[in-house]
Amino acid sequence: MNAIERTVDLLCNSRHAIALTGAGVSTRSGIPDFRSPGSGMWEQVDPFEVASITAFRRQPEVFFNWLRPLARLLQEAQPNPAHVALAQLEAAGIVKAVITQNIDGLHQKAGSQCVLEVHGHMRQATCIRCYRVFPTEPFIEAFLANGSLPSCPECGNVLKPNAILFGEQLPTSVVQAAQRHIYQCDVMLVAGSSLEVIPVSDLPHIARRRGARVILINLQPTYMDDQADVTFHADVADVLPEIARACRAPTIEHDRA
Ligand SMILES: [Zn+2]
């Protein structure tokens, strides 16, 4: 069996397969890996001086200046074949949940239903003073056009997007839901994550220790490469559609029955 066949075999015979996705899944959609140093996003600025919660509270306008080009990319990005393939695997009943480090919402745009965004998202923003939560949509146009900062309709203070900044806690309920899936899963498909950002980087290791099989698809090597059952050093947007196609093919369906 080649790597694709082994992957299809693991997925199609799984009871509770889950996917864990990172920035690599959205590269083909034009979104840079902005959490990783060396991605180009941090050459001009220190991440902790711009995108940390303490920096945000001190100088939100610096954060929003940095965010603006990225926000435009996020606004215009469309799902690519990797997102579509994962949505198809979920629709086929194979993948039960997608745990993602991405804040771009592209899994949902592609049709994935159970998406756990452990680093938050940009659909809502929270007032840093009164903690009311608002949809970001009404603020986006003015922000992109002239950089005007989103402010709380109730108290006038600045709104922070619900994406998790450096130094912030991950959203508890999302992390707990992700943990439940990790404990239940028998196959974990890691796609487009270099597994460098803790605590998400530990999840495949935890799943592995509990007996799950691990499939890794990433352009660059990761610390889990030697422990995974199948490892691809390839673009997820090339490999995932092939896997989804094979999983949904009639012969494989027959094997599952
Ligand atoms: Zn407020």
Side-chain angles (χ1 to χ4, degrees):
M1 275 202 272
N2 65 27
I4 293 278
E5 288 164 345
R6 285 210 310 282
T7 300
V8 171
D9 182 54
L10 287 174
L11 285 173
C12 290
N13 291 303
S14 66
R15 181 178 37 75
H16 195 97
I18 61 173
L20 173 66
T21 71
V25 166
S26 295
T27 310
R28 281 275 186 103
S29 296
I31 298 173
D33 179 2
F34 61 92
R35 289 190 76 95
S36 298
S39 64
M41 294 289 285
W42 301 120
E43 276 158 22
Q44 312 293 326
V45 293
D46 174 354
F48 295 95
E49 283 300 315
V50 173
S52 71
I53 186 63
T54 39
F56 183 91
R57 286 178 173 279
R58 204 168 50 229
Q59 284 187 302
E61 63 283 358
V62 174
F63 167 80
F64 280 109
N65 271 340
W66 170 80
L67 179 68
R68 215 159 132 205
L70 178 64
R72 189 178 294 280
L73 291 176
L74 290 170
Q75 179 76 355
E76 290 166 359
Q78 294 301 319
N80 68 57
H83 299 105
V84 173
L86 286 170
Q88 288 170 339
L89 286 169
E90 185 182 354
I94 296 167
V95 165
K96 306 292 196 250
V98 177
I99 300 170
T100 188
Q101 297 172 286
N102 300 340
I103 58 162
D104 52 40
L106 290 177
H107 284 302
Q108 290 93 329
K109 274 195 191 169
S112 286
Q113 302 289 316
C114 184
V115 183
L116 299 165
E117 297 164 303
V118 289
H119 290 163
H121 56 79
M122 302 288 284
R123 291 183 298 279
Q124 293 174 321
T126 303
C127 175
I128 59 165
R129 179 129 184 255
C130 72
Y131 297 104
R132 285 188 178 87
V133 178
F134 301 93
T136 44
E137 220 271 320
F139 301 98
I140 287 175
E141 205 173 307
F143 171 59
L144 291 180
N146 55 31
S148 50
L149 267 50
S151 63
C152 177
E154 296 290 331
C155 77
N157 271 270
V158 71
L159 298 176
K160 188 196 81 66
N162 282 5
I164 304 304
L165 303 185
F166 293 107
E168 268 194 295
Q169 295 273 350
L170 302 189
T172 312
S173 61
V174 178
V175 169
Q176 285 171 345
Q179 270 164 352
R180 282 196 294 275
H181 281 286
I182 304 286
Y183 291 154
Q184 266 184 287
C185 84
D186 56 350
V187 174
M188 181 187 271
L189 172 64
V190 183
S193 175
S194 47
L195 298 175
E196 281 169 347
V197 180
I198 50 169
V200 171
S201 52
D202 281 337
L203 300 182
H205 190 61
I206 294 168
R208 185 95 186 92
R209 261 206 326 259
R210 299 180 62 92
R213 316 298 285 274
V214 175
I215 301 154
L216 279 182
I217 312 170
N218 196 52
L219 265 180
Q220 313 297 336
T222 75
Y223 84 95
M224 277 291 292
D225 282 9
D226 296 339
Q227 299 165 62
D229 296 90
V230 190
T231 301
F232 297 86
H233 291 150
D235 190 325
V236 286
D238 295 326
V239 175
L240 279 173
E242 210 178 324
I243 292 168
R245 228 177 355 257
C247 281
R248 293 153 74 228
T251 49
I252 304 292
E253 282 302 312
H254 185 70
D255 286 350
R256 295 190 84 203

